[in-house]
Amino acid sequence: MAVVAHKGADIDLLARLLRAEAEGEGVQGMMLVGAVGINRIRANCSDFKGLRTIPDMVYQPHAFEAVQKGYFYQRARESERRLARRAVRGERPWPAKYSLWYFRPPGDCPPTWYNQPLVGRFKLHCFYEPLAVECENVYNTF
């Protein structure tokens, strides 16, 4: 059962985002990106208040660098669609389980990002989850 309402076009959009943001990090890396995106829709807090749909999340201004690149606009592939469907069903692997942010630093992961603590790294991306006092919803939405 889906944790976020979606249409086929939304799955394609999310699939394109997963590939453009984390293809080099493999299936697990793309699943982590998907989890963060779904968390942003479900949490409704911090910089992500009012996001209700996959397009809202993907096209939120300044949220994903990939939407500014041509690679993002290529057709979705079935392999990434499968991952997108897993994400909308609520699959949230660690370290993205409660994360709302991730990024790829040039070196080590900073201990905080947007004043939120580092929870882990997967390959080149660092993941950050909000404190419960700042975003309790991310811990209670599933």
Side-chain angles (χ1 to χ4, degrees), residues 8-89:
D10 298 333
I11 293 296
D12 282 356
L13 180 62
L14 182 56
R16 291 177 17 226
L17 180 72
L18 301 182
R19 180 182 64 221
E21 285 281 318
E23 181 177 40
E25 306 230 341
V27 168
Q28 183 74 1
M30 289 187 281
M31 281 304 302
L32 295 171
V33 168
V36 168
I38 298 304
N39 286 346
R40 288 177 179 187
I41 296 168
R42 300 276 306 195
N44 196 33
C45 65
S46 185
D47 297 331
F48 313 108
K49 286 184 181 171
L51 298 182
R52 297 290 181 263
T53 67
I54 290 170
D56 288 347
M57 177 268 295
V58 170
Y59 292 118
Q60 182 185 23
H62 313 292
F64 296 104
E65 184 178 315
V67 301
Q68 300 169 21
K69 312 277 185 191
Y71 190 58
F72 171 76
Y73 293 94
Q74 293 181 5
R75 225 176 57 189
R77 297 182 295 209
E78 186 53 37
S79 57
E80 285 90 22
R81 283 188 195 105
R82 281 192 296 274
L83 299 177
R85 286 189 285 273
R86 287 170 57 187
V88 299
R89 286 193 302 263

Side-chain angles (χ1 to χ4, degrees), residues 69-136:
K69 312 277 185 191
Y71 190 58
F72 171 76
Y73 293 94
Q74 293 181 5
R75 225 176 57 189
R77 297 182 295 209
E78 186 53 37
S79 57
E80 285 90 22
R81 283 188 195 105
R82 281 192 296 274
L83 299 177
R85 286 189 285 273
R86 287 170 57 187
V88 299
R89 286 193 302 263
E91 190 172 323
R92 300 182 309 160
W94 184 89
K97 185 169 181 75
Y98 302 111
S99 295
L100 294 176
W101 299 272
Y102 68 88
F103 86 110
R104 180 181 174 173
D108 292 338
C109 296
T112 60
W113 185 252
Y114 290 103
N115 297 318
Q116 305 306 314
L118 171 70
V119 293
R121 181 176 195 140
F122 180 77
K123 295 188 179 183
L124 299 176
H125 285 92
C126 306
F127 292 81
Y128 299 83
E129 68 183 49
L131 301 172
V133 296
E134 294 186 28
C135 188
E136 186 176 350

